[in-house]
Amino acid sequence: EAQVTQNPRYLITVTGKKLTVTCSQNMNHEYMSWYRQDPGLGLRQIYYSMNVEVTDKGDVPEGYKVSRKEKRNFPLILESPSPNQTSLYFCASSLKGTDTQYFGPGTRLTVL
Amino acid sequence: AQTVTQSQPEMSVQEAETVTLSCTYDTSESDYYLFWYKQPPSRQMILVIRQEAYKQQNATENRFSVNFQKAAKSFSLKISDSQLGDAAMYFCAFSPLAGEKLTFGTGTRLTIIP
């Protein structure tokens, strides 16, 4: 089954404790992206990757890191999480950036 | 930078009626892509419809159609014969031709009244 998986689905952590949210797709997509969703703000792009080893900032990259060492994986790293990073996070992939994006199920992150 | 505006935070419609959700965008590009995504209570993001700006014909998908007005930079979504399963948040999104950044609007919450 074609899908985008994210782990964990829910995470509660404390300020400053490094964490990684994994994202994996099995569709051989070149394009992958991370978004955060906050009430009243819609989805905002954090980082995107057009292909392996190619990543670039979206609209809200501060406090986040990404890497794309393999085509299928695109982890999101919060090296020192803060409460303002409490949000719902989505990973997405597509064949190209202009194609339909396939979204993961979301990760609800709470930073205390 | 592109911006996408959805001016209706909430809308409601009677079951079986027709509703139109508004979306406007701002860009200096001449070619681009526009999308409507649906997010039901399950939080899963689902593509509803996709429009290529260079195509004059409005995209349709079953009960869903768009009114794409390129000069006015408007991209509204019409849902015909509304069903209870259409209740969701709807997001309008813009992608430039190169497909690098995707910009979403703030969403419209649609309620279906039985």
Side-chain angles (χ1 to χ4, degrees), chain B residues 11-83:
Chain B
M11 290 196 71
S12 60
V13 62
Q14 292 275 355
E15 193 175 1
E17 296 294 309
T18 296
V19 64
T20 299
L21 309 183
S22 301
C23 173
T24 59
Y25 57 94
D26 188 25
T27 183
S28 57
E29 301 191 20
S30 58
D31 285 324
Y32 44 86
Y33 296 83
L34 296 163
F35 306 83
W36 278 100
Y37 281 90
K38 170 185 177 182
Q39 186 181 43
S42 67
R43 301 188 328 205
Q44 183 68 43
M45 294 287 290
I46 304 162
L47 178 73
V48 175
I49 207 159
R50 174 177 179 264
Q51 174 82 42
E52 296 153 343
Y54 62 86
K55 288 187 177 179
Q56 293 186 345
Q57 187 173 7
N58 289 327
T60 63
E61 285 289 339
N62 300 314
R63 297 182 294 107
F64 298 86
S65 61
V66 297
N67 183 6
F68 174 46
Q69 302 287 331
K70 191 173 184 179
K73 296 180 182 175
S74 171
F75 184 60
S76 59
L77 176 70
K78 186 172 82 170
I79 306 174
S80 304
D81 185 26
S82 297
Q83 300 176 0

Side-chain angles (χ1 to χ4, degrees), chain A residues 31 37 59 97-98 100-101, chain B residues 37 39 47 50 99-101:
Chain A
Y31 183 92
Q37 183 178 4
D59 294 318
T98 54
T100 301
Q101 301 241 341
Chain B
Y37 281 90
Q39 186 181 43
L47 178 73
R50 174 177 179 264
E100 65 279 20
K101 291 179 69 171

Side-chain angles (χ1 to χ4, degrees), chain B residues 78-114:
Chain B
K78 186 172 82 170
I79 306 174
S80 304
D81 185 26
S82 297
Q83 300 176 0
L84 295 177
D86 295 333
M89 281 287 284
Y90 286 83
F91 292 97
C92 179
F94 172 100
S95 170
L97 194 63
E100 65 279 20
K101 291 179 69 171
L102 192 64
T103 303
F104 283 83
T106 53
T108 296
R109 183 175 301 281
L110 179 65
T111 301
I112 310 298
I113 303 167

